Amino acid sequence: MSERLQPGDVAPDFTLPDADGNEVSLSAHKGRKVIVYFYPAALTPGCTKQACDFTDNLSLLADAGYDVLGISPDAPEKLGKFREKENLEVTLLADPDKKVLDAYGAYGEKMNYGKTYMGVIRSTIIVDEEGKVEKALYNVRATGHVAKIIKDLDI
């Protein structure tokens, strides 16, 4: 498990396929703020709620200068089904080898019902216009998280 990012760190650049197989890079968003959120799995209740919350607030966030990228270990095909089923507008990226999840400290040891296992740590990293970490939030809740981000960022 890699170290968690801290405010002021340079956000690791990445290029990942989106739900249509097109490559999306963090560096292509330079000059805009980016909310990068990591979630365990498409088409699951908590992740659906979170993705729908981001979609519902996408224009508000965009008007405030933020782009939103959601990253999970799912394949692009599954992300496409997720997007279609839930009418998602947020950009979903596939990281099946978990390299980006690991680079951002969003993959590691988790505990559930007394069992320890490796998995995706629901996390949100806010990257500024220069590519530096503005906020690094780990072990966030799926429900209510987007509202908290909006409040914390004074949007």
Side-chain angles (χ1 to χ4, degrees), residues 43-72:
L43 300 166
T44 57
C47 298
T48 297
K49 174 77 177 115
Q50 188 177 22
C52 288
D53 280 354
F54 271 117
T55 293
D56 291 347
N57 289 287
L58 207 52
S59 61
L60 176 72
L61 293 165
D63 289 348
Y66 291 89
D67 295 334
V68 179
L69 303 174
I71 300 176
S72 75

Side-chain angles (χ1 to χ4, degrees), residues 3-25:
E3 290 289 310
R4 291 184 169 183
L5 296 177
Q6 302 294 324
D9 289 349
V10 172
D13 194 20
F14 58 79
T15 301
L16 293 172
D18 68 9
D20 298 314
N22 300 313
E23 298 213 324
V24 175
S25 297

